[in-house]
Amino acid sequence: MSGSPTVRRRKVANGESEGIQSKGSTKSDPPISEIEPDESDEDVGREPGNAAGEDAAPADPLAPIREGINTAPCSAEFWVVVGTLVLCIVGVKYLENLPRQPSERVLTKEELAQRDGSNGNPIYLAIVGQVFDVTKGGKYYGENGGYQFFTGKDGSRAYLTGDFKNDLIEDVSDFTPEQLKGLVEWRDFYHEFKDYEYVGKLEGAFYDSTGKPTRALEEVELGAIEGLKVQARREAAKKEHPNCNSRWSQAKGGEVWCEEGYPRRVLETIPGAKPSTRCACFKGIGFSDARQVYPDCAPDQQRCKTKKKDKKEEKQEENQEEKEQEEKQEEGEDPPQKADDVNTEL
């Protein structure tokens, strides 16, 4: 039982031990001074010198550090403290010696205009407010180059409209999400193309004089994200109802057909995109105002003739063919001309 006294056995001269005697023994009990108490529960953990049971002093929060400093050099606690201090010092020195990024350069439109390749100047262009050095592409962006009109300015709008006379401007506020997606892809191209170097930002529609993004840039970025969603919706629609095969010639006009299903002229209204038309293949022969049968073509026919294209449409196709030929010639050396997915009305 905790707290009960015990008797310490003592060796006596005759080699016998004595202690508490059994009942009926004639020997007297040992003196109180020779009885030592067991450690009681209250004594466990009591600090030396605090035998009277006084309340312990509040814990010192710095005690571990003080003890570590006062610890013998060979103790584990000492080396833990030393190791921690060394790591802190090394970490601070490492951070101090890290290379500091210089402030990003912000150009004015006047400064950008001077970087057009003339008089030995480098060749710069900007897209969505970001400036790139395209001097290594001088064959295309330099004097008499096919893309010289882009240099010395931010012609973001023309990248998507193809109007290199009137649209070499920053304003893209009326672009659809898909157009903004295409514009951001153009910007990403200049970042990724190994021969072109990112220079900084242009003070204007997309960044202020300190290089801080404007509301116009935020709208471009958000619009591009929405453009990805529109693209996914469009691809899902095409997967459900694939595009028709088509061909056209000056002599015979146009023809659309489906290997499986029946051709229908469809007006698509995809959320976030402008309404567009395309020829889609449907498994059933049903039709409606939104799923029209081609003129002079029976609902169950898999091939249908289409109207001949007018001069304007022919001119558009010629321009497109010329552009595709240029792309093939310049592939691998300069950015191919990107074009929006054009749903030609058939």
Side-chain angles (χ1 to χ4, degrees):
M1 180 174 180
S2 177
S4 63
T6 60
V7 178
R8 191 177 278 188
R9 297 181 180 276
R10 296 182 292 108
K11 293 291 182 179
V12 294
N14 59 4
E16 295 180 355
S17 62
E18 64 179 11
I20 297 177
Q21 302 299 318
S22 61
K23 186 176 181 181
S25 174
T26 59
K27 292 184 180 180
S28 61
D29 291 336
I32 298 295
S33 60
E34 295 180 4
I35 301 176
E36 294 182 2
D38 279 339
E39 287 185 337
S40 67
D41 293 340
E42 295 176 353
D43 292 331
V44 176
R46 180 178 295 168
E47 294 292 335
N50 195 24
E54 297 91 343
D55 293 334
D60 182 1
L62 299 179
I65 297 177
R66 300 183 198 281
E67 291 174 4
I69 295 174
N70 297 323
T71 303
C74 293
S75 68
E77 292 85 354
F78 174 82
W79 290 113
V80 168
V81 173
V82 171
T84 302
L85 291 174
V86 170
L87 286 175
C88 290
I89 294 171
V90 171
V92 170
K93 291 295 182 183
Y94 173 78
L95 294 174
E96 288 177 350
N97 293 326
L98 282 177
R100 299 182 183 277
Q101 294 293 336
S103 299
E104 195 166 27
R105 186 177 179 185
V106 179
L107 286 78
T108 64
K109 291 183 179 181
E110 292 73 19
E111 290 173 327
L112 179 60
Q114 296 173 4
R115 275 73 171 178
D116 61 354
S118 61
N119 301 321
N121 287 319
I123 306 173
Y124 287 5
L125 61 78
I127 179 170
V128 197
Q130 297 192 7
V131 182
F132 297 89
D133 185 340
V134 296
T135 304
K136 290 184 179 180
K139 177 180 178 181
Y140 306 100
Y141 296 99
E143 187 176 0
N144 299 321
Y147 306 127
Q148 185 187 19
F149 42 74
F150 280 126
T151 62
K153 62 178 71 67
D154 187 331
S156 294
R157 187 178 185 84
Y159 279 90
L160 271 294
T161 66
D163 186 343
F164 305 124
K165 183 178 180 180
N166 302 310
D167 282 352
L168 290 168
I169 56 176
E170 300 168 290
D171 183 22
V172 293
S173 57
D174 60 338
F175 272 15
T176 66
E178 286 180 295
Q179 286 177 308
L180 293 174
K181 169 182 167 293
L183 183 60
V184 168
E185 288 174 351
W186 266 115
R187 182 191 63 188
D188 293 345
F189 165 81
Y190 283 101
H191 275 291
E192 297 166 2
F193 198 70
K194 60 182 178 63
D195 288 340
Y196 303 149
E197 181 182 353
Y198 173 69
V199 175
K201 295 181 171 64
L202 177 67
E203 179 185 355
F206 303 108
Y207 297 94
D208 64 17
S209 60
T210 65
K212 182 180 178 180
T214 65
R215 175 63 183 171
L217 178 62
E218 183 181 349
E219 291 175 353
V220 168
E221 302 289 1
L222 293 175
I225 293 173
E226 180 62 26
L228 289 171
K229 298 177 182 178
V230 171
Q231 182 184 36
R233 297 183 193 116
R234 196 181 294 283
E235 290 175 354
K238 288 181 179 180
K239 185 176 181 180
E240 184 177 5
H241 302 294
N243 285 343
C244 305
N245 299 303
S246 64
R247 63 186 172 195
W248 182 87
S249 68
Q250 183 69 38
K252 297 181 179 180
E255 183 181 25
V256 293
W257 73 94
C258 297
E259 299 294 342
E260 295 183 4
Y262 307 94
R264 296 290 184 267
R265 184 174 179 272
V266 179
L267 175 64
E268 285 189 329
T269 54
I270 295 176
K274 289 182 178 180
S276 59
T277 58
R278 69 182 180 99
C279 180
C281 296
F282 288 80
K283 294 181 180 180
I285 62 173
F287 57 92
S288 65
D289 291 341
R291 186 194 302 182
Q292 300 175 0
V293 177
Y294 281 87
D296 302 322
C297 187
D300 59 351
Q301 284 185 317
Q302 290 186 301
R303 287 179 175 267
C304 298
K305 296 289 184 181
T306 61
K307 67 183 181 69
K308 291 186 177 182
K309 299 175 182 177
D310 57 28
K311 291 184 178 181
K312 182 178 179 180
E313 291 174 322
E314 291 176 5
K315 184 63 176 176
Q316 289 176 342
E317 283 202 353
E318 289 177 5
N319 292 339
Q320 183 64 27
E321 289 176 0
E322 291 177 1
K323 187 179 293 186
E324 289 174 355
Q325 290 176 356
E326 291 176 0
E327 290 174 6
K328 292 178 181 179
Q329 293 174 356
E330 296 161 2
E331 186 174 359
E333 299 182 11
D334 204 61
Q337 287 292 312
K338 288 190 176 182
D340 285 338
D341 291 332
V342 179
N343 295 309
T344 306
E345 183 175 339
L346 299 173

